[in-house]
Amino acid sequence: MTIGNLFFNENRQIRCLWRILIFVSLLGLAILPLLLLNNVYLQFIGVVLILIFGLRINSKYLDKRNFSEYGLVFNKETFRNVLVGLTIGFCAVVLILIIGKSTGILSVSGVLSVPKGSLLVLFAFKMLLVGVLEETFFRGYLFTNLYDGFNSKRLTKKQTLVISLMLSSVLFGLAHFSNNNASFLSMTLLTVNGMVWCIPFIISKNLGLSIGLHTAWNFTQTQLGFTMSGNKSLNALYKIENVGPDLFTGGEYGPEAGILGLIGFGLMLAMSLLYLKYRYPKQALLNKEQK
């Protein structure tokens, strides 16, 4: 292998690994000044705008693909999928609360407080920004590039898809290693979570459903009273306490580190696949890959 082949593929395009390293490095440098801001909302808005603008440039000069291939398309289909994802994510969290209470592994008190409307809207906006940011990067950008990078004659389309799905999701799980009370189990289950949110993108080629699921999952957990990704809820509707084993409840990290969260992921996936089967009957990529 020559030095040229190490950096460029047969189409004279920079190889996937180097493209990702270059983009992530430049993205990190561009985001760094935002740390000087003393407002978390401005920071999130800035990061999302920089990511989208960076992907615009990246799609033209590094990836050399259409920006729409990242799945972040601003049209009616995307907004419809976001709304469906919000509904599914909300239902999944409510269902795991009911399951946890009915099985006795959670203790749920009566209504503690009703959050102020303005604070509720601000927090919902923040969770939406988080959903857009993480889904655009890990699913829209990273999965798309990994799929392109592993796509070769040595691997079937199905193998390429599974490897890219797994690797992008593992990186998503590892990205949460610094969260409060994070553990090997929490990162493993968040890897599963990443796969659940990636599958709708694979099938629909649109990030709307994934963004909606992600936003509602985080928002609803926090507002109901769950600890979400190690972050304890404040001014929640209920006081939720873990009574059962940490393996079931997720312990101090929240449901995402336990079987309860795994059930929630399964519910989101099942409901998402039902919707996708109805909405995208001719785009069932997973089925096509198996033929």
Side-chain angles (χ1 to χ4, degrees):
M1 176 182 287
T2 65
I3 295 180
N5 289 336
L6 181 63
F7 294 98
F8 297 91
N9 59 26
E10 58 274 11
N11 298 320
R12 304 309 300 165
Q13 182 184 22
I14 299 176
R15 291 191 179 276
C16 169
L17 175 62
W18 304 116
R19 295 204 309 269
I20 292 175
L21 290 175
I22 292 170
F23 178 72
V24 171
S25 298
L26 293 176
L27 185 66
L29 289 174
I31 289 173
L32 201 58
L34 294 177
L35 296 177
L36 299 175
L37 296 176
N38 196 27
N39 186 301
V40 68
Y41 293 96
L42 290 178
Q43 288 178 336
F44 273 111
I45 291 171
V47 172
V48 169
L49 291 177
I50 288 171
L51 175 60
I52 294 174
F53 180 72
L55 282 178
R56 285 279 185 185
I57 298 174
N58 180 78
S59 66
K60 184 176 182 180
Y61 295 105
L62 272 180
D63 285 357
K64 296 182 180 180
R65 68 172 77 248
N66 194 306
F67 177 78
S68 63
E69 291 182 39
Y70 299 126
L72 197 64
V73 184
F74 301 96
N75 56 22
K76 290 182 180 179
E77 178 190 4
T78 299
F79 291 116
R80 179 182 57 243
N81 287 348
V82 168
L83 290 175
V84 173
L86 289 172
T87 303
I88 292 173
F90 171 79
C91 291
V93 177
V94 171
L95 286 171
I96 65 170
L97 177 63
I98 294 172
I99 292 170
K101 188 175 186 302
S102 62
T103 56
I105 63 174
L106 296 179
S107 171
V108 183
S109 71
V111 175
L112 293 179
S113 63
V114 178
K116 293 181 180 179
S118 57
L119 295 178
L120 204 62
V121 170
L122 276 175
F123 185 71
F125 180 60
K126 179 183 175 182
M127 291 300 97
L128 176 61
L129 291 174
V130 171
V132 172
L133 174 63
E134 294 191 357
E135 293 310 305
T136 301
F137 180 78
F138 285 101
R139 262 58 78 177
Y141 170 72
L142 194 56
F143 170 82
T144 299
N145 267 278
L146 290 172
Y147 185 83
D148 180 59
F150 283 108
N151 192 15
S152 68
K153 295 179 180 178
R154 290 175 293 180
L155 296 172
T156 65
K157 295 291 184 181
K158 182 180 178 180
Q159 290 171 332
T160 302
L161 186 147
V162 171
I163 291 172
S164 306
L165 173 65
M166 289 289 294
L167 186 54
S168 62
S169 299
V170 166
L171 292 172
F172 174 72
L174 291 174
H176 295 78
F177 80 96
S178 61
N179 287 20
N180 296 329
N181 300 300
S183 64
F184 176 77
L185 180 59
S186 71
M187 289 186 287
T188 300
L189 293 184
L190 282 173
T191 296
V192 176
N193 189 8
M195 290 189 283
V196 168
W197 288 341
C198 192
I199 289 173
F201 171 61
I202 293 172
I203 295 175
S204 67
K205 304 295 185 183
N206 186 288
L207 282 174
L209 190 60
S210 303
I211 290 171
L213 291 169
H214 196 148
T215 301
W217 176 258
N218 288 353
F219 174 82
T220 310
Q221 279 188 91
T222 304
Q223 292 307 309
L224 287 182
F226 281 111
T227 298
M228 188 272 294
S229 295
N231 300 300
K232 291 186 178 296
S233 60
L234 299 173
N235 302 317
L237 192 60
Y238 302 109
K239 182 179 181 181
I240 299 176
E241 295 181 326
N242 298 326
V243 179
D246 288 355
L247 178 62
F248 291 94
T249 65
E252 293 298 314
Y253 192 84
E256 293 168 340
I259 293 176
L260 202 57
L262 195 59
I263 292 172
F265 303 152
L267 290 169
M268 279 193 288
L269 180 59
M271 288 186 278
S272 296
L273 290 176
L274 284 174
Y275 167 72
L276 291 165
K277 184 178 181 180
Y278 162 76
R279 191 69 204 176
Y280 300 92
K282 295 182 180 180
Q283 292 177 245
L285 180 60
L286 290 177
N287 292 331
K288 289 182 180 179
E289 296 294 342
Q290 295 174 352
K291 294 181 179 180

